[in-house]
């Protein structure tokens, strides 16, 4: 059974006509939970969260050696951590990268996480996307 | 088929910089705090699942955009 989610307009971008595919997600790290709304990014190799979100999940990211990542605009430092994510009752483990120096709201799911767990169909002509989770035993 | 509408512009309109806690149906903001900790503390008595998102921000660098022309429309 799939879920259809309308693309969302983003504050500050109203005049551009840009809409973004956003998905509700709950991250779990032991007994710590944090629910937010993540950008679904087929161009992102892996998921990222900000240090603010990592702190809320009680992730001791400063103790994890930093690695260097690259994006279109610049390079960045990140700390990979294992957490659990839950999207509409579909729970799965994933490695998410805590990225230093990014905006607090940044939470992106990419190809190594949500795209491996679900078939995601972007329907740009309808301004919506469909998520169909794989049934895994 | 379940269909979900999330309109962050409508939800966050009028809120000062900080964090909001959004209801699980994405129709209303339940709490606001200057910081994430303040917002989560305010939400402690709430039994519903709350989705947290910053308010009062411009999300222009959340997504990569290229603008053409004077009206910024793609």
């Amino acid at each position: 059974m799939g879920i259809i989610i309308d693309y969302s307009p983003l504050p500050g971008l109203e005049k551009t006509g840009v809409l973004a595919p956003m998905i509700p997600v709950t991250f779990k790290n032991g007994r710590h939970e944090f629910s937010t709304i993540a950008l679904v990014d087929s161009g992102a190799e892996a998921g990222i969260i900000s240090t603010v979100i990592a702190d809320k999940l009680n992730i001791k990211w400063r103790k994890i050696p930093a690695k260097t990542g690259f994006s279109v605009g610049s390079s960045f430092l990140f700390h990979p951590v294992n957490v659990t994510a839950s999207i509409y009752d579909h729970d799965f483990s994933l490695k998410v990268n805590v990225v230093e120096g990014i905006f607090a709201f940044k939470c992106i799911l990419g190809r190594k996480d949500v795209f491996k767990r679900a078939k995601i169909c972007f329907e740009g002509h309808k301004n919506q996307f469909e998520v169909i989770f794989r049934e895994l035993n | 088929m379940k269909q979900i509408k999330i309109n962050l512009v409508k939800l966050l309109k009028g809120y000062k910089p900080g964090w909001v806690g959004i209801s699980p149906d994405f129709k209303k903001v339940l709490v606001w705090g200057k910081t994430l900790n303040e917002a989560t503390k305010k939400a402690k008595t709430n039994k519903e699942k709350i989705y947290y998102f910053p308010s009062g921000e411009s999300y222009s660098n959340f997504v990569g955009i290229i603008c053409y022309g004077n009206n910024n429309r793609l």
Side-chain angles (χ1 to χ4, degrees), chain A residues 2-6 8-11 15-16 18 24 26 35-37 39 56 88 103 105-106 128 130, chain B residues 1-9 26 37 40 49-54 59 61-62 65 71-72 74:
Chain A
I3 307 158
I4 292 174
I5 307 176
D6 288 3
S8 174
L10 294 175
K15 288 180 182 172
T16 67
V18 168
T26 299
S35 298
T36 188
I37 303 167
L39 177 70
K56 204 66 197 162
Y88 288 105
F103 285 86
F105 57 79
K106 285 241 174 168
Q128 62 187 33
E130 184 179 1
Chain B
M1 184 83 70
K2 193 171 185 174
Q3 182 147 7
I4 296 147
K5 291 178 192 295
I6 303 172
N7 188 325
L8 290 168
V9 169
F26 307 102
N37 280 340
T40 53
K49 178 174 268 194
I50 293 182
Y51 292 87
Y52 293 95
F53 206 78
Y59 302 88
N61 61 5
F62 201 157
I65 58 166
N71 63 358
N72 283 342
L74 296 181

Side-chain angles (χ1 to χ4, degrees), chain B residues 6-20:
Chain B
I6 303 172
N7 188 325
L8 290 168
V9 169
K10 269 190 189 172
L11 279 167
L12 303 181
K13 194 173 183 180
Y15 284 94
K16 291 178 181 173
W19 285 77
V20 294

Side-chain angles (χ1 to χ4, degrees), chain A residues 88-109:
Chain A
Y88 288 105
D89 298 328
H90 294 271
D91 292 358
F92 56 96
S93 300
L94 73 156
K95 188 172 274 182
V96 73
N97 301 296
V98 180
V99 179
E100 293 185 40
I102 56 171
F103 285 86
F105 57 79
K106 285 241 174 168
C107 177
I108 294 174
L109 294 175

